Amino acid sequence: MRARAPQAVVLALCAVVSGCGTDAESSTRERDVPPPTAGSGPAASPTVAAPAFTSSPTSSATSSPAWSPAPSPVRPLGRAGKWRITTYYTAVESYHGGRRKAVRGCPELRCDDGDTPLGSYPEDFIEIIQTEGSGRITSGPHRGRYLNWSHSVGFWLDDTTRDSAGRPLRAWRSAAADRDVLARGQRFVVTDCGRDGAGRPVEDEVCERFRRASWTVTDLFRPGYGGEHHADVYIGEETGPGFARSAPWYTTLRDATIHPA
């Protein structure tokens, strides 16, 4: 494949590049088309509460109360209890095995020829990269670098993982969402985790970890892939073998609620 300016770096929501959660839905795949330059998705407007009357600090018992507006509650983004939050991560070569397979692509972020040999890696590692979008190399001449992948570019070597604008992904910070609901740059927090992929209440420890994070939309889904109440969030590197099967953070939150951060 010949590629120019893999700045798209990724996008596809989840190629999963991993994914989009334990549903094995890929985030990078859905983020693979560069988003429009214009922001999309209306920002939620605050609910205006009825005015409240409070006594002025300087008023006497006989003075009239001074008018003061009460704080306005903030509306959730999109529809409360309707969000699906999926997750994606960066694979680590040393946690994967299988027959080694040669990879060809771009030797750097920008290149004119995408058919350069990039090394040989375990088949399992390569497969996960094509789902999650990136993998850290731990052996050979490219040790310490990243093998990244997107539908629009194919494979390329890089010094970091990246969002669609070419900026490094930030664990528990970077997110992708549907442009019809959340514009690029929108910050949000998960306020209600809803249920997990199996339909059970999310464990308290897992939910608390998601609630503590503050996400920023840096990628936008390709039209038709994300869904108007779907966000895909980046949780960093895998931490051991079998990460996708055993890590509590690699999950899907269903019927979740999010608010502006």
Side-chain angles (χ1 to χ4, degrees):
M1 158 190 261
R2 291 183 179 276
R4 236 179 224 288
Q7 245 171 300
V9 171
V10 65
L11 284 219
L13 186 195
C14 255
V16 141
V17 153
S18 190
C20 289
T22 49
D23 308 59
E25 307 164 57
S26 155
S27 35
T28 299
R29 283 194 302 267
E30 300 171 5
R31 289 191 307 265
D32 209 352
V33 172
T37 54
S40 57
S45 56
T47 301
V48 178
F53 289 89
T54 59
S55 298
S56 168
T58 57
S59 64
S60 64
T62 59
S63 62
S64 299
W67 181 85
S68 175
S72 299
V74 178
R75 287 179 178 173
L77 291 166
R79 296 175 61 189
K82 293 297 182 180
W83 281 89
R84 180 165 60 99
I85 310 294
T86 53
T87 54
Y88 66 108
Y89 65 95
T90 294
V92 177
E93 181 188 2
S94 59
Y95 298 146
H96 301 280
R99 184 173 63 88
R100 298 184 77 84
K101 181 179 178 181
V103 173
R104 304 178 77 89
C106 293
E108 54 189 18
L109 179 59
R110 295 175 178 83
C111 71
D112 295 324
D113 188 347
D115 195 39
T116 301
L118 304 181
S120 296
Y121 307 96
E123 285 185 318
D124 181 44
F125 180 56
I126 294 171
E127 181 179 349
I128 291 179
I129 289 174
Q130 289 181 293
T131 301
E132 302 297 329
S134 65
R136 180 165 60 85
I137 301 168
T138 59
S139 66
H142 301 302
R143 180 177 182 178
R145 301 197 72 196
Y146 291 81
L147 181 63
N148 293 339
W149 184 90
S150 77
H151 281 284
S152 61
V153 174
F155 288 102
W156 77 93
L157 291 175
D158 206 327
D159 295 324
T160 186
T161 57
R162 296 185 187 276
D163 63 23
S164 59
R167 295 167 299 201
L169 291 172
R170 303 174 65 192
W172 297 94
R173 296 287 187 85
S174 300
D178 192 280
R179 64 191 59 172
D180 291 336
V181 179
L182 300 182
R184 186 189 294 273
Q186 172 72 60
R187 297 177 62 240
F188 69 89
V189 292
V190 175
T191 52
D192 186 342
C193 296
R195 300 172 295 121
D196 64 18
R200 299 167 300 203
V202 178
E203 294 181 8
D204 291 344
E205 180 184 5
V206 174
C207 184
E208 182 59 26
R209 183 67 185 88
F210 279 93
R211 288 168 61 96
R212 289 202 312 268
S214 179
W215 311 93
T216 299
V217 177
T218 59
D219 283 344
L220 299 175
F221 292 138
R222 185 167 62 181
Y225 281 81
E228 68 174 14
H229 284 83
H230 177 196
D232 196 36
V233 298
Y234 178 63
I235 58 175
E237 289 191 354
E238 60 183 342
T239 55
F243 180 83
R245 297 187 302 274
S246 61
W249 321 123
Y250 185 58
T251 187
T252 294
L253 307 182
R254 298 182 182 278
D255 301 330
T257 299
I258 67 175
H259 277 75

